[in-house]
Amino acid sequence: MIRVLVVDDQALIRQAVTDILAGQPGIDVVGDATNGRMAVALAAQLRPDVIVMDIRMPELDGIGATERICGDPALAESRVLILTTFEEDEYLVAALRAGASGFVGKGAEPEEIVQAVRAVHAGDALLSPIATRALIDRFLKSAPDADPTTEPALQHLTDREREVLLLVARGRSNQEIADDLVISPHTAKTHVNRIMTKLHAHDRAQLVIIAYESGLLTPGN
């Protein structure tokens, strides 16, 4: 059962998302919150698997709440799915940097929202990789160039792990990584998990951010 916490300051959206998810097999909406501060408190209390999080909210916005939740070791298994209008791209990148696992539009069809929750919970694929890469391209291309050979975070990776990280950042699934490197899917998954551990990454979305900010992958590459 996927336990979900819905967070949005608009009652209609909160209720709509709750209604969409509550009727799905294998999904249980365990609570809802009207602001980021309440979301952090409820996440600690309820330990949800997925938190559907709005960005703009009073008291504490979705980015701040995401950072606190993803930074709490006790909530290491919780995943944040950003609910957005896609009109504030820079906030989405900030949310990914804070630890969010993906995002879904408020105008998405009900089945898309359900699929997004399941995908984020599964943790084995970056949600909407094309859209996410476009956002990262747009807002990280002006960042200072980094040298991946001297980036401290990457010094702990083997050459093979750097190859795998690059493929993850390009949106490859474990099966595609296995095909590209002529290894088994199990070995590919093992490499990805080991990289996450070494880089203290919450999930694959975080690996994409690290690959860009370290200079291992450059926008448009």
Side-chain angles (χ1 to χ4, degrees):
M1 184 69 70
I2 303 174
R3 293 163 47 82
V4 179
L5 174 65
V6 177
V7 185
D8 198 295
D9 63 331
Q10 297 183 51
L12 285 177
I13 293 178
R14 233 177 22 253
Q15 188 61 55
V17 173
T18 296
D19 290 345
I20 289 170
L21 296 175
Q24 296 299 315
I27 294 180
D28 180 22
V29 178
V30 296
D32 63 77
T34 60
N35 60 64
R37 195 175 303 281
M38 184 184 298
V40 173
L42 282 178
Q45 175 186 339
L46 300 173
R47 304 293 176 89
D49 300 303
V50 177
I51 301 157
V52 181
M53 180 85 71
D54 186 25
I55 290 183
R56 287 193 168 188
M57 294 182 292
E59 296 192 36
L60 181 66
D61 65 18
I63 296 171
T66 296
E67 187 170 19
R68 293 188 188 184
I69 290 170
C70 293
D72 185 348
L75 296 174
E77 300 302 316
S78 296
R79 298 287 181 264
V80 175
L81 173 66
I82 297 296
L83 189 63
T84 176
T85 59
F86 287 104
E87 294 173 351
E88 301 164 330
D89 292 350
E90 68 273 20
Y91 293 112
L92 298 183
V93 173
L96 288 173
R97 282 175 169 151
S101 296
F103 48 86
V104 65
K106 289 185 177 181
E109 295 295 325
E111 58 269 23
E112 292 178 305
I113 294 176
V114 174
Q115 183 180 15
V117 168
R118 295 191 190 282
V120 166
H121 177 253
D124 58 1
L126 178 62
L127 182 62
S128 302
I130 295 176
T132 301
R133 282 204 59 187
L135 290 175
I136 296 172
D137 279 357
R138 178 175 172 186
F139 289 99
L140 296 188
K141 64 174 53 179
S142 60
D145 292 336
D147 180 355
T149 62
T150 60
E151 176 64 29
L154 301 189
Q155 287 184 349
H156 302 292
L157 301 184
T158 65
D159 290 342
R160 174 61 88 185
E161 287 169 347
R162 286 173 184 253
E163 284 183 283
V164 172
L165 174 58
L166 187 59
L167 291 172
V168 169
R170 286 174 173 162
R172 300 286 203 280
S173 66
N174 286 343
Q175 182 61 61
E176 290 169 331
I177 291 172
D179 292 342
D180 288 346
L181 299 180
V182 195
I183 57 178
S184 72
H186 175 73
T187 299
K189 182 177 181 179
T190 299
H191 280 309
V192 172
N193 289 339
R194 188 174 295 126
I195 292 167
M196 286 185 187
T197 299
K198 286 185 176 182
L199 299 183
H200 307 289
H202 196 60
D203 54 22
R204 295 172 83 106
Q206 287 290 288
L207 292 183
V208 175
I209 295 292
I210 291 170
Y212 270 90
E213 294 190 326
S214 69
L216 184 65
L217 184 66
T218 57
N221 182 9

